[in-house]
């Protein structure tokens, strides 16, 4: 996944005309499948960028952008694979190289957090009204897009995300086990997950 993201960054920057070093020879897991998947991603990003240029003279395309959403989530930050910001519009594109799990953009909390970080940083320049979030998962032939108004995104952030994050940060709130546990760093010692697995075994 890391190798694929490095290759994506290189290809998009090269397509924009920047002088960047080809990382291919330093990648541990490079193969033709990765080459094809990252080509598809680059083509999609540039296609979206051209669409933005049709209604904005100076759209901004950023790759591997650090996004700070700590206004709503304590110590919250992440890295956006690609941002395309134009007059009244923000598009967040997330590249998923994984094959095992199909990832959807619809009300995806990670994508919405990234969008919040981008809105917080760039709204003053482009007066953003609409936010589009896209999951690009080529090995699953999955391009999933979710659109929301900036107003509704901020409402979710204040009424759902912020109070929930505050509880989690204080070690409070309700633990919920499920398929998402596979991404958790403490899954091996989580009591709630153990209870959940025991219930499954009994069933």
């Amino acid at each position: 996944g890391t190798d694929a993201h490095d290759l994506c960054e290189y290809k998009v920057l090269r397509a924009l005309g920047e002088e960047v070093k080809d990382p291919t020879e330093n990648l541990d897991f490079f193969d033709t499948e990765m080459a094809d998947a990252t080509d598809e991603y680059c083509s999609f990003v540039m296609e979206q960028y051209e669409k933005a240029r049709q209604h904005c003279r100076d759209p901004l395309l950023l790759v591997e952008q650090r996004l700070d959403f700590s206004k709503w989530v304590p110590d919250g930050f992440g890295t956006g694979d690609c941002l395309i910001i134009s007059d009244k519009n923000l598009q967040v594109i997330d590249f998923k190289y994984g094959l095992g799990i199909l990832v959807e953009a619809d009300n995806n909390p990670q994508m919405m957090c990234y969008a919040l970080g981008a809105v917080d940083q760039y709204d003053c320049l482009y007066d953003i009204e609409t936010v589009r979030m896209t999951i690009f998962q080529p090995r699953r032939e999955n391009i999933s897009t979710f659109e929301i108004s900036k107003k509704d995104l901020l409402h979710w952030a204040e009424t759902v995300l912020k109070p929930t994050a505050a509880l989690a940060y204080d070690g409070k709130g309700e633990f919920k086990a499920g398929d998402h546990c596979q991404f958790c760093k403490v899954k091996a010692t989580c009591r709630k997950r153990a209870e959940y697995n025991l219930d499954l075994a009994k069933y």
Side-chain angles (χ1 to χ4, degrees), residues 6 8 27 34 49 52-53 75-77 91 99 105 107 109 115 125 129 133 136 146 149 177-178 181 189 199 203:
D6 288 345
C8 284
L27 301 179
M34 184 180 292
Y49 182 56
R53 292 179 65 182
D75 300 329
F77 68 92
Q91 185 167 10
L99 186 61
N107 288 292
L125 299 176
E129 293 180 358
M133 292 159 277
F136 190 87
F146 174 62
S149 69
C181 291
T189 57
D199 287 341
Y203 177 77

Side-chain angles (χ1 to χ4, degrees), residues 30-101:
F30 177 78
D31 56 16
T32 55
E33 184 178 29
M34 184 180 292
D36 292 343
T38 52
D39 280 345
E40 290 174 29
Y41 170 80
C42 181
S43 295
F44 177 79
V45 167
M46 297 311 296
E47 183 181 294
Q48 299 305 305
Y49 182 56
E50 287 302 318
K51 287 181 180 179
R53 292 179 65 182
Q54 291 174 12
H55 66 265
C56 178
R57 288 189 303 174
D58 58 345
L60 188 61
L61 193 161
L62 301 168
V63 296
E64 296 300 316
Q65 184 70 17
R66 189 181 192 279
L67 299 170
D68 185 338
F69 44 90
S70 57
K71 183 182 292 186
W72 300 277
V73 178
D75 300 329
F77 68 92
T79 302
D81 295 336
C82 177
L83 303 179
I84 301 175
I85 312 157
S86 56
D87 294 337
K88 302 186 183 304
N89 294 293
L90 163 67
Q91 185 167 10
V92 183
I93 304 172
D94 195 38
F95 177 78
K96 299 292 188 187
Y97 192 62
L99 186 61
I101 299 173

